[in-house]
Structure formats: C-alpha cells, structure tokens
Amino acid sequence: MPTTTTTAGVTAVLRALHDGERALERDLLAAAERHRPDHGVHHVATDLARWSHEHTAGLAEYGRGRGVDLSGQHAFGVLAGLREKTAEALGRRPEPGLLLLHDLRDLQLAAARNSLHWEMLGQAAQALRDEELLALVSSCHPQTLRQMRWTNTMIKEQAPQLLSAV
C-alpha cells in the first residue's frame, strides 16, 4: 500500500530527478535540432526526449499524490544554454562533428546522473515498501539505461572518425 507522504530524502531525490529529466529532455531536443541534417541523431534524440518527458510526468503525478509539487520552474540545465549562447556571441562555434561529440558526452553524463537517481529511488521504494514508486522506477529506469546506451554507442561510433580527422 503506497504511503500518502514521503520522506525528506525521497522528496529531495524526486526533485533532483524531475529537474534532471526536464533538463535531459530539453538537451535532447536541442541536440536533435542542432544535428537535424543527421537524421539518425535527430530522430533518435527526439524519441529519447519523449521518454524523459514521460518520466517527468510520472514523477510529477507521483509527487502530487504525496503532496510534493514538482510543477515549478527549475534552473537545472540553464547554464548549458547560456554557455552555448555566449560561445556563439564570441564566435567560438565548434566544428559540427566536435559539437556532436560534445552533445553526446553531455547527454551521456545527464542520463547517467538520472540513472543514479532512479537507482536511489528504487532502493528507497523497496525499503519503504512503496509499490507505486517501485512501479514508476521499474517503468522508467530501463528507458534511462537505453538513453545511456545510445549515447555511449554513438560516441564509440563517431569519436574515432571525428577525432582523427581534426
């Protein structure tokens, strides 16, 4: 039977993961747009962003049932956009291939961060015997692991060619 409240620790991880999934969705969509000519990157990144959007919705729904409001504006990921705009303004735009590797690296790290949060929530759900949270984790975490596998595979495929050509 799910609890009607949650611990402060679970709430903190819920907030961090909600922010992380929102940031990953935004970053995947930005990468998809930046690499639109590469249809494989564009379409897969767009699909993966949809997963993060669904994760965010699931986390918000779970939080609502526990009195945790996750709907507010969060600042996570804003610095990446600011760095990109600053680099553009200063005329420091990396080569498209290096930009792809940079994006893939950042996406990999963001997905890994989210995966760790999913893992923590899963362990907490087991300890608290919270079946609803465990079901959410069981549904979303495997997709986050697939996001990580995609970015890792893309880095392995692209890095040798792109870095040896520079």
Side-chain angles (χ1 to χ4, degrees), residues 76-151:
F76 197 112
V78 171
L79 290 178
L82 183 59
R83 267 194 313 269
E84 182 179 324
K85 294 293 182 193
T86 302
E88 280 182 33
L90 295 174
R92 286 185 267 150
R93 192 84 173 137
E95 294 295 319
L98 294 179
L99 181 59
L100 176 59
L101 285 178
H102 183 273
D103 285 344
L104 290 169
R105 181 206 59 205
D106 288 349
L107 293 169
Q108 171 72 15
L109 293 172
R113 185 179 309 111
N114 289 349
S115 178
L116 290 170
H117 287 128
W118 283 119
E119 194 67 50
M120 287 186 265
L121 283 180
Q123 294 301 311
Q126 289 178 6
L128 296 169
R129 294 186 172 91
D130 187 335
E131 295 299 323
E132 186 180 355
L133 181 56
L134 191 56
L136 179 63
V137 171
S138 297
S139 170
C140 297
H141 191 212
Q143 291 176 328
T144 300
L145 293 172
R146 283 191 288 256
Q147 289 170 323
M148 290 173 58
R149 278 194 298 275
W150 176 74
T151 56

Side-chain angles (χ1 to χ4, degrees), residues 2-164:
T3 59
T4 56
T5 61
T6 187
T7 67
V10 169
T11 297
V13 176
L14 283 172
R15 289 186 190 286
L17 181 53
H18 187 265
D19 289 352
E21 289 287 1
R22 284 178 58 160
L24 182 56
E25 176 191 6
R26 185 175 46 251
D27 292 347
L28 281 161
L29 291 172
E33 192 57 37
R34 268 192 299 277
H35 305 289
R36 183 176 279 279
D38 185 335
H39 296 291
V41 171
H42 174 76
H43 291 294
V44 173
T46 301
D47 289 343
L48 296 178
R50 190 173 309 115
W51 284 351
S52 284
H53 181 79
E54 292 167 3
H55 298 172
T56 302
L59 288 163
E61 182 179 333
Y62 175 83
R64 263 191 306 281
R66 306 298 187 280
V68 178
D69 182 15
L70 298 174
S71 64
Q73 295 295 322
H74 304 281
F76 197 112
V78 171
L79 290 178
L82 183 59
R83 267 194 313 269
E84 182 179 324
K85 294 293 182 193
T86 302
E88 280 182 33
L90 295 174
R92 286 185 267 150
R93 192 84 173 137
E95 294 295 319
L98 294 179
L99 181 59
L100 176 59
L101 285 178
H102 183 273
D103 285 344
L104 290 169
R105 181 206 59 205
D106 288 349
L107 293 169
Q108 171 72 15
L109 293 172
R113 185 179 309 111
N114 289 349
S115 178
L116 290 170
H117 287 128
W118 283 119
E119 194 67 50
M120 287 186 265
L121 283 180
Q123 294 301 311
Q126 289 178 6
L128 296 169
R129 294 186 172 91
D130 187 335
E131 295 299 323
E132 186 180 355
L133 181 56
L134 191 56
L136 179 63
V137 171
S138 297
S139 170
C140 297
H141 191 212
Q143 291 176 328
T144 300
L145 293 172
R146 283 191 288 256
Q147 289 170 323
M148 290 173 58
R149 278 194 298 275
W150 176 74
T151 56
N152 192 51
T153 298
M154 289 296 294
I155 289 168
K156 287 179 178 180
E157 289 176 0
Q158 299 293 320
Q161 178 185 0
L162 294 172
L163 295 178
S164 62

